[in-house]
Amino acid sequence: GESVGLHLPTLSVQEGDNSIINCAYSNSASDYFIWYKQESGKGPQFIIDIRSNMDKRQGQRVTVLLNKTVKHLSLQIAATQPGDSAVYFCAENNRGSRLTFGEGTQLTVNP
Amino acid sequence: DSGVTQTPKHLITATGQRVTLRCSPRSGDLSVYWYQQSLDQGLQFLIQYYNGEERAKGNILERFSAQQFPDLHSELNLSSLELGDSALYFCASSEGWGLEETQYFGPGTRLLVL
């Protein structure tokens, strides 16, 4: 069935290092992918998105890579800061509006 | 702050009861979405409204219903509550209802059913 899942439930990095959060999706028809950040006690916050006709998209300190061949999505955070500590979700949109979320990865940044 | 507001922030109730969760979308947004976040199911899409009309339905139980009013705020009604309904309920909004509409999430309502 259709699903979006994350490889690792937790990721711990040192402050200043780069972080890579991975996501696998199973629906090859998915058109649009989004990364959200959820801090404790808050709602998901949009980080960056990418269309299926793109391989890479860059934002401020974040880069999303899409590999359609292996149905893999990754979020790279440069120079990770303590404020980046949160749960990160990938989500896909292939039904017009609804988002299908992955399980989430807990990113912990150690000082 | 996403601009999406939800009330109440916390809600504690008993099994069998009925509650109403309220959401106000960002100014100018016509679409409202409801999601449920639980430990065992993760973030799940429930239902979407666009300009007062239902647009998409996900894994929403028959005991749950929603509506969007002319002023575009939305309410999610949960009835005959069960222990398993305890979860975070998020509302999100977007300008339109297409594929690439960015959905902005509210702070959520934490529901605890005892």
Side-chain angles (χ1 to χ4, degrees):
Chain A
E2 300 168 356
S3 66
V4 177
L6 292 168
H7 291 306
L8 298 174
T10 62
L11 177 64
S12 184
V13 300
Q14 291 298 122
E15 182 178 357
D17 287 352
N18 296 333
S19 303
I20 300 177
I21 301 172
N22 296 304
C23 174
Y25 64 95
S26 60
N27 189 347
S28 58
S30 293
D31 302 299
Y32 180 58
F33 303 88
I34 312 101
W35 281 99
Y36 280 90
K37 171 187 180 183
Q38 187 175 21
E39 297 175 274
S40 181
K42 297 184 178 180
Q45 176 188 354
F46 173 87
I47 300 173
I48 193 168
D49 58 2
I50 188 168
R51 295 183 61 183
S52 60
N53 61 354
M54 301 170 68
D55 297 323
K56 179 180 180 179
R57 191 167 189 207
Q58 289 185 293
Q60 187 178 9
R61 282 201 308 117
V62 294
T63 301
V64 55
L65 299 177
L66 176 63
N67 186 329
K68 295 178 287 294
T69 302
V70 295
K71 292 184 285 187
H72 183 269
L73 195 67
S74 69
L75 176 71
Q76 300 179 359
I77 305 173
T80 314
Q81 303 168 0
D84 294 327
S85 293
V87 176
Y88 289 80
F89 293 95
C90 65
E92 64 174 306
N93 189 336
N94 64 0
R95 298 186 188 180
S97 56
R98 69 182 71 185
L99 294 177
T100 301
F101 282 85
E103 297 171 338
T105 292
Q106 173 71 59
L107 175 65
T108 301
V109 182
N110 301 309
Chain B
D1 184 1
S2 67
V4 178
T5 60
Q6 290 186 247
T7 57
K9 192 170 184 177
H10 302 279
L11 198 49
I12 301 175
T13 188
T15 54
Q17 295 298 306
R18 172 189 170 95
V19 297
T20 297
L21 312 183
R22 183 188 169 102
C23 168
S24 292
R26 296 186 321 153
S27 177
D29 285 358
L30 298 178
S31 274
V32 169
Y33 312 77
W34 286 98
Y35 291 85
Q36 180 193 58
Q37 186 175 36
S38 61
L39 287 175
D40 58 342
Q41 295 287 334
L43 262 165
Q44 300 255 323
F45 169 77
L46 295 178
I47 197 164
Q48 179 207 1
Y49 282 83
Y50 175 77
N51 204 21
E53 294 188 7
E54 182 184 306
R55 279 292 180 181
K57 215 168 192 177
N59 301 319
I60 187 167
L61 300 172
E62 286 192 8
R63 299 184 285 109
F64 296 1
S65 65
Q67 54 185 327
Q68 185 179 27
F69 296 86
D71 68 352
L72 301 177
H73 91 271
S74 179
E75 293 181 355
L76 179 67
N77 300 296
L78 314 176
S79 61
S80 303
L81 284 167
E82 302 175 358
L83 296 177
D85 297 327
S86 296
L88 274 165
Y89 291 85
F90 289 104
C91 168
S93 74
S94 68
E95 189 174 339
W97 64 281
L99 178 67
E100 295 177 16
E101 292 287 336
T102 300
Q103 295 183 24
Y104 296 91
F105 282 75
T109 293
R110 185 177 293 276
L111 174 66
L112 180 59
V113 182
L114 301 176

